[in-house]
Amino acid sequence: MEVLRVIVFAASAALLVRAAWQVVVGWQHGRQRLLDFMRDPSGAFHRHVEEMPLDYPPSVILVADLTLAIAAVAAVVQRHAYFPSAVPILAVLLVTFTYPILTVFGVQPRPIPLSLIGLVSEGLFLLQPVALDASPFVLVVVAGEVAAIGPKHISLPFAGAALAELLVFHAVGPGLDALPSYLIAVVLGELVGVMMQYQRLYLYQERENQTIRTAQAADEERHRIAREVHDVIAHSLSITLLHLTAARHSLQTDRDVDEAVDALVDAERLGRQAMADIRRTVGLLGELRSPATPEPTLDDIPELVDGFVRAGLKVDYQHAGDGRSVSATTGLALYRISQESLANVAKHAAGATVTLRIAVTAAEATVAVVNTLPGWVVVRPGGGMGIAGMRQRADLLGGTLSAGPAHGGWQVTARIPLSGKSGPACLVTTQDDPLRLVRDAFSSVTRKFQESM
């Protein structure tokens, strides 16, 4: 017992000297933290805990430190018969200074010093044995805290050392009441700390997964915005060019100023409409509320066709089926696919005859665009994003899209089930810079247009 007494006192003296040296070295920093704590105890405590890289809520740390302080104070009260001996006071000072006080002032806890202080403090308590001792619960709480903040190659040896300490003092001293219960409690404290450690690691993993999902969602949103802007620009530019061609033809051939003015007025109107559509599409990046102008639907396709017809494109449009069963998302997809297909005809095969068919059944909605191929069809190298964008729209709704030569012409057919997916994901609600998203979207569109020129 005397040997244990000497070892425990030497270890406690070394720890106190080390703590005093740290206080002296960090006095200026500690003094500022003490002043902050005196001015705003609650706020300073929360700020100091948030600065720690442990990711535990302040309430968890506060409860753990409070539990440790209660166990230490209870152990001191049980040893009132030993007063005026300062041994239990020294033990509670070690525990209180190392755990609650340093945590309150935001000192980063380290597993190895905490483990040593826990063992030394418990040794000081066990030098003065009492019946139904509460001091082993100090080891229980310390085991949980060390396991919660440190790796297992530190926490497991500490748990073993705590168990060995209890067994040694039980063997050389008068013995500990309910020793098996104390041993089991230390093991349970270790397991609780390990569980909290796993929870912290899972939190890190979930944050990493969330970062990946956010990046993917932002990427999908960039593609969606690029596709929307592409569809609007391709449609508006195609019809505008047709009107300008008609105006030039009227002036060069017929000298018909009125007809040329009408064509230019239509071109100006379409240009302004295109700018409004682009502003509305880009505006979706900056706000989550619904735009003031609704998205086009299946009912807007006749107006779309009229615009191409007025520009000089020969379009035969027919609609079959009840359009009321088509959702807004599916209607937007049908509109955009029709818009892109007609714009491609105007751009690549001006003068062709186009047949547009919309069929709605109980199971699916189908859009088919077939155009003839004049002998002077313009073929541009490089791949645009038109067909890819249409196919992506259909895929997002669980449908299919095919495009290619058919019956001596070109045909685009899309089938979208009416009971399939509900539609593409909503706007991403991340902290991505909206201006960067806009720049990426316009850069993508510009690059694709340059490739297709």
Side-chain angles (χ1 to χ4, degrees):
M1 192 66 178
E2 291 298 328
V3 175
L4 289 176
R5 188 185 301 274
V6 172
I7 294 175
V8 170
F9 274 109
S12 60
L15 291 174
L16 284 177
V17 170
R18 182 177 183 274
W21 173 253
Q22 288 183 341
V23 170
V24 172
V25 172
W27 165 247
Q28 191 64 32
H29 181 67
R31 179 174 176 272
Q32 183 61 43
R33 284 182 174 267
L34 179 60
L35 293 176
D36 293 340
F37 184 79
M38 293 177 63
R39 284 193 296 265
D40 183 13
S42 177
F45 171 73
H46 283 80
R47 287 194 302 272
H48 297 162
V49 171
E50 290 174 356
E51 292 173 359
M52 297 181 182
L54 300 178
D55 289 318
Y56 290 120
S59 58
V60 173
I61 297 178
L62 186 61
V63 169
D65 291 342
L66 181 61
T67 303
L68 184 61
I70 290 174
V73 171
V76 172
V77 173
Q78 284 183 312
R79 287 161 174 77
H80 62 87
Y82 291 95
F83 291 163
S85 173
V87 174
I89 302 298
L90 178 61
V92 77
L93 287 178
L94 273 176
V95 170
T96 305
F97 180 77
T98 305
Y99 286 85
I101 293 181
L102 292 187
T103 301
V104 165
F105 292 121
V107 177
Q108 174 64 35
R110 300 183 183 278
I112 293 180
L114 295 184
S115 301
L116 295 177
I117 290 174
L119 292 173
V120 171
S121 299
E122 178 60 20
L124 291 173
F125 282 126
L126 293 179
L127 289 176
Q128 298 176 341
V130 296
L132 298 176
D133 196 355
S135 65
F137 291 106
V138 172
L139 286 180
V140 175
V141 180
V142 173
E145 292 194 0
V146 172
I149 66 174
K152 287 191 288 294
H153 68 266
I154 294 178
S155 63
L156 290 178
F158 166 73
L163 296 176
E165 183 178 34
L166 294 177
L167 291 174
V168 169
F169 275 92
H170 178 74
V172 302
L176 297 175
D177 298 332
L179 176 64
S181 299
Y182 294 148
L183 299 179
I184 294 174
V186 171
V187 174
L188 292 179
E190 170 72 17
L191 293 179
V192 170
V194 171
M195 180 182 65
M196 295 180 66
Q197 179 79 269
Y198 281 132
Q199 185 181 26
R200 184 160 63 100
L201 296 178
Y202 290 149
L203 175 63
Y204 294 154
Q205 184 63 44
E206 180 59 27
R207 287 177 177 174
E208 182 178 354
N209 294 338
Q210 183 63 33
T211 301
I212 295 175
R213 287 193 294 267
T214 300
Q216 292 175 345
D219 187 62
E220 292 176 0
E221 185 64 12
R222 284 192 292 269
H223 286 298
R224 194 189 73 82
I225 296 298
R227 187 174 64 246
E228 291 289 340
V229 175
H230 169 271
D231 290 345
V232 171
I233 292 177
H235 160 249
S236 300
L237 286 181
S238 298
I239 300 183
T240 300
L241 289 176
L242 288 177
H243 282 298
L244 293 177
T245 301
R248 178 180 57 80
H249 181 75
S250 298
L251 292 175
Q252 287 182 342
T253 305
D254 303 330
R255 301 295 180 180
D256 192 339
V257 177
D258 293 338
E259 183 177 350
V261 169
D262 291 340
L264 292 175
V265 168
D266 288 338
E268 181 183 6
R269 176 181 57 82
L270 290 171
R272 295 182 183 277
Q273 179 181 349
M275 289 302 300
D277 291 340
I278 292 174
R279 290 192 185 98
R280 176 179 54 79
T281 303
V282 174
L284 295 175
L285 291 170
E287 55 186 25
L288 298 179
R289 62 181 184 271
S290 299
T293 305
E295 294 279 7
T297 63
L298 183 63
D299 297 333
D300 296 312
I301 292 182
E303 183 179 355
L304 171 70
V305 173
D306 290 341
F308 278 97
V309 172
R310 288 194 302 269
L313 191 65
K314 300 176 182 178
V315 182
D316 178 17
Y317 170 66
Q318 292 184 8
H319 175 88
D322 186 4
R324 291 176 296 179
S325 61
V326 178
S327 65
T329 304
T330 302
L332 175 62
L334 296 175
Y335 182 93
R336 292 304 188 194
I337 292 173
S338 302
Q339 182 186 56
E340 176 64 22
S341 299
L342 294 176
N344 285 340
V345 174
K347 181 170 62 175
H348 298 288
T353 300
V354 186
T355 301
L356 173 60
R357 298 288 184 267
I358 302 289
V360 180
T361 64
E364 66 179 11
T366 304
V367 54
V369 183
V370 182
N371 64 277
T372 59
L373 294 177
W376 44 271
V377 170
V378 178
V379 178
R380 292 181 175 88
M385 62 184 301
I387 294 179
M390 291 189 292
R391 182 171 287 112
Q392 186 177 12
R393 287 186 183 275
D395 290 342
L396 289 174
L397 296 172
T400 59
L401 183 137
S402 60
H407 309 293
W410 186 271
Q411 179 173 348
V412 176
T413 303
R415 292 181 172 85
I416 300 175
L418 298 182
S419 58
K421 299 179 181 179
S422 60
C426 297
L427 284 175
V428 60
T429 56
T430 64
Q431 297 179 350
D432 281 40
D433 183 8
L435 295 178
R436 182 174 61 83
L437 293 176
V438 173
R439 288 196 300 270
D440 292 343
F442 274 103
S443 298
S444 177
V445 172
T446 305
R447 184 174 63 255
K448 294 299 182 180
F449 270 107
Q450 290 176 351
E451 292 176 356
S452 61
M453 290 298 291

